[in-house]
Amino acid sequence: MLLKVKNLTINFKNDDGPVKAVKGIDFEINENEVLGLVGESGSGKTVTALSIMDLLEKKTCCVEGEINTSFNRVRGKNITMVFQEPFTSLNPVLRVGEQVDEVMLTHEKASAKEARSHTLELFRKVMIKEPERVYDSYPHALSGGQRQRVMLAMAISLRPKLLIADEPTTALDVTIQKEILELIMRLKEELGMAVFFITHDFDIIKKIADRVLVMKNGRIVESGLRKSVLSDPKNEYTKKLIDAVPSIGGAFPGKGKKTGEVVLEAKDLTKSFYLEKGFFRKHSSRISAVSEVSLKIHEGRTLGVVGESGCGKTTLARLLVGLLKADKGEVRCPEKNIQIVFQDPASSLDPRMRMGDIVLEGLTIRGAKRREKELVLREILFNARLNYKDRMKLPHEFSGGERQRIAIARSLAVKPRVLILDEPVSSLDVIIQKEVLGLLKDLQKELFLTYVFISHDLRVIEYMSDDVAVIENGRIVELASREKLYESPQHAYTKKLLRSVL
Amino acid sequence: MKNKLMLTGVIIIILLILAAVFAPKIAKYDPTYINIKEALLPPSEEHLMGTDMLGRDLFSRMLFGSRIALTIGIVAVGLAAVIGVALGSIAGYFGGKIDSVIMRFADIMLCFPAFFLILAVIAVVGPSIFNIMIIIGLTSWMGMARLIRAEILTLKTRDYVLCSRVLGASNFFIITKHLIPNGIGPVLVSFVFGVAGAILMEAGLSFLGLGVQPPDPSWGNILMEGKAVLGVGWWVILFPGLAILITVLAFNLLGEGLRDALNPRIK
């Protein structure tokens, strides 16, 4: 036994009294094992990790219970942590090498030279190509994957007994996600450390964890060996969580025919952005975001658009709805009625407008009469499974899933035929994700909608789409029906993407 | 603690507004009625704040003076806010050349020392309450324009603004329905501080004889008249001085409280 947590309770002091984040949990971590902690956002996962690291501020929260370890709990030496967002974990004004050196300098009182050579060795260990160059780089010059490798190098610098990884791959692209997970597993074997892995994604747990804890509302609702939890979950909530994870092979065919009317067509769409290069250099550099993209979508069908961050998916979405003007090419939409739903429902709803007004915004703009608006509101809220009674509430009073349903209702209120969905479920927890996807499917059938569904998640894309376009660097590298693409991918990039799905 | 200070400010401002609104009811005397026989009487039950060198009741004059101070403060800064919000939101929303032209104009306006600019203009158009309000308004919108512009620069890329555009909203709709309501907070704070500044400005102008003209009472010109009789009637200068101090303080307390309330990070 490496670490034992007994009856851990964490309360946050708030103006309106204490908020219970963790309500008396017990667990232990054994030597050289991977313990996975799964739960939705707000379930108390991160707070638990921070309390083990003794990183919670005493002023604002009150930690009770026992945390016993078989080793000396020295932060940064025996117990280290890797966070979700490697960019904010690194100091932007220091070279990354210096930041990794710091560990040696403070804990071991090493000389600068020793620290440097130690750091370079660590960089090789975490498979950073060109360690010398990375050593002298600033964080902003590195990619997300490289930054997370640097964080890992820092974490394993002094051969810790326990590594806490708090959603270390959530902010990364799928292909890189897989590499980082493999790296963590390799380091664990090499260094013989235990890993406490926190995630919301059961797929990752499936791959790496020895034992699993499932957390909900500050309590551990289920724990056990990975196999037994996955194959035979005892708790209702665990079942729901496992169920909600979309998996390859879980397709859900739509109704639209390939021969239906073409409701949206794009021809040779090309868009570049220009970066002004400072005061003295006159010429600017050009970044091409979307190049020569052609699409054709038939009524009632869903086109999935998949690619990694920065591939031009969002630019394509904005070109299709007319938020951006294409440099070349054109978008043809006979009815001129396309709406869009964005990724983050928190920022896509005006925080000062009431729910009813938000949903009816499109009609207000069109100058609709009060009576008409009232009728549409009732109908749309019913369709979007929202409560008519809540129409006077402000956005912050709704949950994430409800907010996304409000955004969907707003788009549908103007009766579009085509709906562009730009990562509509990426910021939602899995269970809610499934709910929203189900709603979108139902709405498609009821209202005979046509979707362009943009996502980085191949599993969600498969669940939703009839046809799939794979985008790399602004170009469609493969466009095929769902069955064909998932069963026999043609392009090398598509194959790589599919391989990286866990 | 902060809340209590703000509450103090609010209470003082409410009392002031009540005093200004009900001045004719509260005042026992006509503020311009001259009675040389009763000149320079010290504070007593008859004359709560004494009388001035012409025998006018100082308390009544102070009450009517508060009307002028508050009207000028609120109307002038209101005008500034309207101009500032309109120009600032246009600059921030449209950007590019429109932004450059409007903001450079604001920069130029900021280059003039406001008080002397106002003195110069008053010298040309002549002093009156109306003129003072307009001139203070026209010379103090720049800060608010900058504030709302900065807010709108960050707000205009929010997804709800993009959604609104996809739904077919006009620029006017987006600015008035989404951007200004969400970005008005800092302007509101600036408005409250501005009222304090404008009241001081009016007092200063009247003190120099370029503001509200006698016999109309204003805290500034009462102060000026008091200066001449400082040796024999300390009360003539004490009360208007105190009134200006307390009013400006009250508005500043309210402004600070509002600023903290709108920015939870400072808490």
Side-chain angles (χ1 to χ4, degrees):
Chain A
M1 200 252 340
L2 195 66
L3 175 134
K4 190 168 181 147
V5 172
K6 232 174 145 186
N7 200 18
L8 178 72
T9 307
I10 302 170
N11 287 326
F12 283 100
K13 289 168 198 153
N14 201 327
D15 290 345
D16 332 313
V19 177
K20 283 197 172 178
V22 176
K23 304 166 185 166
I25 59 172
D26 306 278
F27 65 89
E28 22 179 281
I29 301 174
N30 299 318
E31 262 155 59
N32 205 15
E33 80 165 347
V34 178
L35 178 66
L37 175 59
V38 205
E40 294 181 32
S41 46
S43 59
K45 293 172 300 187
T46 300
V47 188
T48 305
L50 290 175
S51 73
I52 294 175
M53 290 292 288
D54 203 11
L55 277 173
L56 289 172
E57 249 185 86
K58 296 279 172 335
K59 264 187 209 158
T60 53
C61 62
C62 159
V63 181
E64 281 161 34
E66 281 176 49
I67 299 174
N68 293 315
T69 44
S70 67
F71 53 87
N72 199 353
R73 210 152 43 115
V74 180
R75 266 203 305 266
K77 187 170 179 186
N78 291 330
I79 177 165
T80 54
M81 188 159 175
V82 182
F83 296 92
Q84 171 172 350
E85 188 42 76
F87 191 52
T88 49
S89 318
L90 288 166
N91 185 339
V93 297
L94 288 179
R95 293 173 202 281
V96 294
E98 293 170 21
Q99 299 185 53
V100 181
D101 286 353
E102 235 173 75
V103 183
M104 280 301 275
L105 296 175
T106 47
H107 284 277
E108 302 286 297
K109 309 270 180 291
S111 70
K113 221 176 164 186
E114 282 166 6
R116 185 185 154 94
S117 67
H118 182 70
T119 299
L120 288 174
E121 191 179 324
L122 286 171
F123 280 177
R124 273 183 282 264
K125 226 178 223 162
V126 295
M127 318 263 283
I128 288 177
K129 290 165 206 148
E130 308 175 77
E132 311 267 342
R133 188 184 64 79
V134 170
Y135 186 94
D136 286 322
S137 305
Y138 289 96
H140 69 86
L142 302 179
S143 69
Q146 276 174 317
R147 285 198 283 257
Q148 201 57 291
R149 281 170 202 272
V150 170
M151 289 309 295
L152 274 169
M154 205 185 287
I156 61 162
S157 175
L158 298 169
R159 297 182 153 261
K161 303 272 192 305
L162 173 64
L163 170 71
I164 301 180
D166 186 1
E167 304 252 12
T169 58
T170 309
L172 304 174
D173 280 326
V174 272
T175 47
I176 296 157
Q177 192 171 4
K178 196 185 175 200
E179 288 170 19
I180 296 284
L181 284 178
E182 282 167 1
L183 176 65
I184 291 177
M185 293 311 281
R186 236 201 48 234
L187 291 172
K188 178 213 147 209
E189 291 304 325
E190 272 182 38
L191 303 171
M193 59 182 181
V195 178
F196 185 34
F197 199 101
I198 298 172
T199 181
H200 65 278
D201 190 343
F202 243 109
D203 265 3
I204 293 180
I205 293 295
K206 255 184 224 171
K207 183 128 194 254
I208 66 167
D210 298 313
R211 286 192 306 125
V212 186
L213 304 173
V214 181
M215 206 165 172
K216 189 194 182 188
N217 293 334
R219 281 182 219 283
I220 290 179
V221 294
E222 181 150 5
S223 65
L225 291 174
R226 170 189 59 183
K227 265 202 186 133
S228 60
V229 171
L230 278 171
S231 58
D232 182 24
K234 299 278 182 298
N235 185 282
E236 272 310 304
Y237 178 71
T238 315
K239 278 181 204 164
K240 236 174 138 184
L241 263 185
I242 295 175
D243 238 31
V245 176
S247 60
I248 293 288
F252 205 111
K255 254 185 163 180
K257 299 234 169 55
K258 247 193 167 149
T259 49
E261 184 192 348
V262 175
V263 284
L264 180 66
E265 190 178 356
K267 247 190 176 161
D268 291 330
L269 274 186
T270 302
K271 176 81 190 171
S272 305
F273 293 106
Y274 294 89
L275 289 185
E276 296 294 334
K277 269 281 177 184
F279 193 71
F280 294 105
R281 259 190 285 176
K282 267 276 153 66
H283 58 264
S284 54
S285 67
R286 204 186 67 146
I287 293 175
S288 99
V290 168
S291 35
E292 291 163 17
V293 167
S294 298
L295 295 167
K296 214 184 236 183
I297 303 154
H298 300 273
E299 182 168 36
R301 287 174 76 85
T302 301
L303 173 73
V305 176
V306 68
E308 296 184 286
S309 54
C311 73
K313 291 174 297 190
T314 295
T315 308
L316 177 63
R318 290 181 183 193
L319 285 170
L320 289 176
V321 290
L323 276 172
L324 288 173
K325 268 219 166 76
D327 300 336
K328 232 177 69 193
E330 56 174 343
V331 177
R332 243 181 273 155
C333 174
E335 307 246 333
K336 296 224 181 297
N337 202 347
I338 315 179
Q339 291 301 323
I340 186 165
V341 174
F342 290 104
Q343 171 175 355
D344 183 9
S347 86
S348 74
L349 305 179
D350 188 331
R352 279 171 200 272
M353 274 169 82
R354 311 230 166 246
M355 183 267 258
D357 294 332
I358 292 175
V359 172
L360 290 172
E361 185 174 344
L363 294 179
T364 309
I365 291 166
R366 272 149 229 225
K369 294 254 157 47
R370 230 224 197 114
R371 261 188 64 136
E372 185 195 341
K373 288 208 279 195
E374 193 61 27
L375 284 174
V376 173
L377 184 64
R378 279 174 187 275
E379 185 194 323
I380 277 298
L381 292 187
F382 178 78
N383 280 338
R385 326 263 144 85
L386 287 161
N387 201 333
Y388 181 75
K389 277 189 203 132
D390 294 338
R391 67 191 184 284
M392 296 307 281
K393 284 190 184 168
L394 291 168
H396 69 86
E397 296 173 72
F398 292 93
S399 71
E402 284 172 320
R403 280 190 220 143
Q404 196 58 294
R405 294 210 294 270
I406 295 171
I408 293 168
R410 166 178 57 191
S411 296
L412 293 180
V414 294
K415 307 225 169 356
R417 289 182 79 186
V418 185
L419 197 55
I420 314 261
L421 301 151
D422 187 2
E423 301 262 12
V425 295
S426 304
S427 62
L428 304 175
D429 284 321
V430 272
I431 292 179
I432 296 159
Q433 201 169 22
K434 199 181 174 196
E435 244 175 64
V436 172
L437 291 178
L439 172 70
L440 285 169
K441 277 282 178 192
D442 292 346
L443 287 170
Q444 182 168 38
K445 267 185 233 153
E446 285 161 30
L447 308 171
F448 215 55
L449 291 165
T450 308
Y451 290 154
V452 177
F453 192 98
I454 297 173
S455 177
H456 67 279
D457 192 334
L458 279 158
R459 302 168 299 184
V460 174
I461 287 280
E462 188 190 23
Y463 182 77
M464 289 299 292
S465 316
D466 299 306
D467 302 295
V468 181
V470 181
I471 295 201
E472 187 191 15
N473 296 330
R475 280 173 198 282
I476 293 186
V477 294
E478 188 161 358
L479 174 59
S481 72
R482 181 194 61 236
E483 297 90 354
K484 227 174 120 193
L485 191 108
Y486 279 78
E487 274 155 30
S488 54
Q490 300 299 313
H491 196 271
Y493 181 69
T494 315
K495 286 180 189 162
K496 188 180 167 202
L497 274 181
L498 277 169
R499 260 203 314 277
S500 63
V501 175
L502 301 163
Chain B
M1 183 56 190
K2 270 273 147 78
N3 268 332
K4 271 182 199 149
L5 284 177
M6 179 169 152
L7 193 67
T8 319
V10 172
I11 291 172
I12 296 173
I13 292 169
I14 290 174
L15 287 178
L16 269 169
I17 292 174
L18 288 177
V21 171
F22 296 108
K25 293 256 160 64
I26 305 170
K28 276 199 277 185
Y29 305 90
D30 179 344
T32 54
Y33 176 72
I34 298 175
N35 184 354
I36 298 290
K37 278 187 223 152
E38 298 199 339
L40 286 175
L41 292 178
S44 63
E45 255 174 63
E46 276 296 292
H47 301 281
L48 282 176
M49 294 182 182
T51 58
D52 67 4
M53 57 195 288
L54 295 174
R56 295 174 292 199
D57 178 51
L58 204 58
F59 183 60
S60 308
R61 288 181 69 73
M62 290 295 299
L63 280 173
F64 280 88
S66 72
R67 287 186 144 189
I68 287 172
L70 288 181
T71 316
I72 289 184
I74 290 166
V75 174
V77 185
L79 177 67
V82 171
I83 300 173
V85 168
L87 289 180
S89 47
I90 289 171
Y93 184 75
F94 292 102
K97 274 193 186 128
I98 297 175
D99 182 30
S100 301
V101 169
I102 292 177
M103 293 327 283
R104 290 306 77 75
F105 178 57
D107 290 345
I108 292 168
M109 291 290 292
L110 278 168
C111 288
F112 293 108
F115 200 74
F116 295 103
L117 180 67
I118 293 170
L119 283 182
V121 177
I122 297 267
V124 177
V125 298
S128 78
I129 296 173
F130 181 77
N131 286 349
I132 292 171
M133 289 193 301
I134 300 291
I135 292 164
I136 293 180
L138 290 178
T139 51
S140 52
W141 53 269
M142 293 80 75
M144 297 195 209
R146 282 182 166 182
L147 285 173
I148 192 98
R149 174 178 171 271
E151 286 293 310
I152 282 181
L153 282 180
T154 64
L155 289 173
K156 72 175 178 180
T157 56
R158 292 280 161 90
D159 287 347
Y160 58 81
V161 175
L162 297 181
C163 269
S164 192
R165 203 177 299 156
V166 175
L167 286 166
S170 62
N171 292 330
F172 182 75
F173 184 93
I174 290 174
I175 292 177
T176 52
K177 286 280 175 340
H178 291 301
L179 297 178
I180 291 179
N182 280 295
I184 202 76
V187 175
L188 216 63
V189 175
S190 166
F191 178 89
V192 174
F193 285 129
V195 171
I199 289 174
L200 267 182
M201 184 90 83
E202 180 271 324
L205 284 172
S206 299
F207 183 78
L208 294 177
L210 288 164
V212 178
Q213 295 300 298
D216 284 337
S218 125
W219 294 345
N221 66 26
I222 297 173
L223 208 57
M224 176 184 67
E225 289 160 11
K227 193 182 62 170
V229 294
L230 185 58
V232 280
W234 50 266
W235 54 90
V236 187
I237 209 161
L238 175 71
F239 291 112
L242 270 181
I244 293 169
L245 175 77
I246 291 171
T247 310
V248 170
L249 184 67
F251 276 101
N252 281 332
L253 288 178
L254 171 64
E256 255 171 57
L258 267 184
R259 188 180 57 198
D260 294 352
L262 288 170
N263 189 351
R265 264 168 295 167
I266 296 180
K267 262 184 196 168

